[in-house]
Amino acid sequence: MTDQGDPLARIADALERIAPPQDNTDWLGSPAYAWDAKCGRAIDRLMAPALSTLLAVDAQKDAVVTNIARLAKGHAAHDMLLWGARGMGKSALLRASIISAQQSNPGAVALVQVASDVLNALPDLFRILAKQKRNFLVYIDDLGFSPEDTNGPRQLRSWLEGGVEARPDNVRLAVTSNRRSIVPREAAEQDGALILRDALDDALALSDRFGLSLGFHNCSQDEYLAIVAAYAKPAGLRFEDADALMWAKQRGARSGRTAWQYVTELAGRAGRKL
């Protein structure tokens, strides 16, 4: 343990805390990475459902696939905000689109997932990725800011465009959130409080910085059954519409996630793997 009474030891500790992270990651060798604010952990295999099984989001799918394909080719591409209903394939679509782009252009693009609790380390990640001869989609899943957090939206807005620590040309950001404004509903409902209005204004200004802002909504009954069929048919599983609908009703949502969970249940009943 460092002797905290030693001035030289205290200086050494302080320098260690402010020094940029020493990253030895091979940023060219894997399809995806997880950034922990110090280094990138390589993910050797990126998992996602086939694009053809992502139903009820055709317009969103076309936009995301096209945008990531542009990024992989080094063409102009947008930062993306995917917002809306839980379980409708926002994260799955990003992963599947990256896989599709990698199949068309091997090694040209990689996904880097960043947890929302290490957003302050994004500038360090940007500096590292800027030096790589590869394109990257930096992905922040399920982002949300509390009404009191006025700094977070402003930081991310600065990184998207205009700030001195803005993301480099070979990097684009993709964010998923339950709301387009990226703040809780109660922030929008308490307009009497100035700080909450400011937080909402900042968050809306942030959402406007994304070139692509795509909404995802709960699917209809027919769409839900079509998604179940898309998952069940390749696995050789049969189902009754009424049973599938009861499963969704008991879980309070018709979504792609609920459909997959139901098909997992079908496979379990049949003693099968998926």
Side-chain angles (χ1 to χ4, degrees), residues 220-268:
S220 68
Q221 177 175 298
D222 289 344
E223 289 170 334
Y224 167 72
L225 291 173
I227 296 170
V228 171
Y231 286 139
K233 186 176 180 180
L237 297 168
R238 302 180 65 180
F239 68 96
E240 298 293 333
D241 289 358
D243 188 46
L245 291 171
M246 179 57 67
W247 180 271
K249 183 177 180 180
Q250 290 171 341
R251 281 147 189 81
R254 291 191 299 262
S255 69
R257 180 182 299 156
T258 305
W260 176 251
Q261 291 168 345
Y262 174 66
V263 172
T264 300
E265 173 65 16
L266 288 178

Side-chain angles (χ1 to χ4, degrees), residues 157 200-210:
R157 188 176 66 196
L200 181 57
D201 288 344
D202 281 337
L204 289 172
L206 167 59
S207 69
D208 290 341
R209 293 300 194 278
F210 292 90

Side-chain angles (χ1 to χ4, degrees), residues 10 16 23 29 49 58 62 70 77 106 118 133 141 162 171 180 202 222 236 253 256-257 262:
R10 291 200 303 272
E16 183 176 348
D23 177 70
D58 290 344
D62 288 346
R70 291 173 180 170
V118 295
K133 294 183 178 180
D141 190 29
V171 174
R180 181 177 183 270
D202 281 337
D222 289 344
R257 180 182 299 156
Y262 174 66

Side-chain angles (χ1 to χ4, degrees), residues 2-15:
T2 303
D3 180 2
Q4 296 300 316
D6 184 349
L8 291 178
R10 291 200 303 272
I11 293 172
D13 283 346
L15 290 174

Side-chain angles (χ1 to χ4, degrees), residues 157-201:
R157 188 176 66 196
S158 176
W159 295 329
L160 282 164
E161 65 175 56
V164 295
E165 295 181 315
R167 49 116 183 96
D169 289 340
N170 64 327
V171 174
R172 290 296 179 271
L173 285 170
V175 171
T176 66
S177 177
N178 293 330
R179 303 190 180 281
R180 181 177 183 270
S181 61
I182 323 181
V183 293
R185 181 186 297 275
E186 53 267 25
E189 293 173 345
Q190 299 182 35
D191 288 335
L194 179 60
I195 188 171
L196 294 179
R197 285 205 308 272
D198 288 345
L200 181 57
D201 288 344

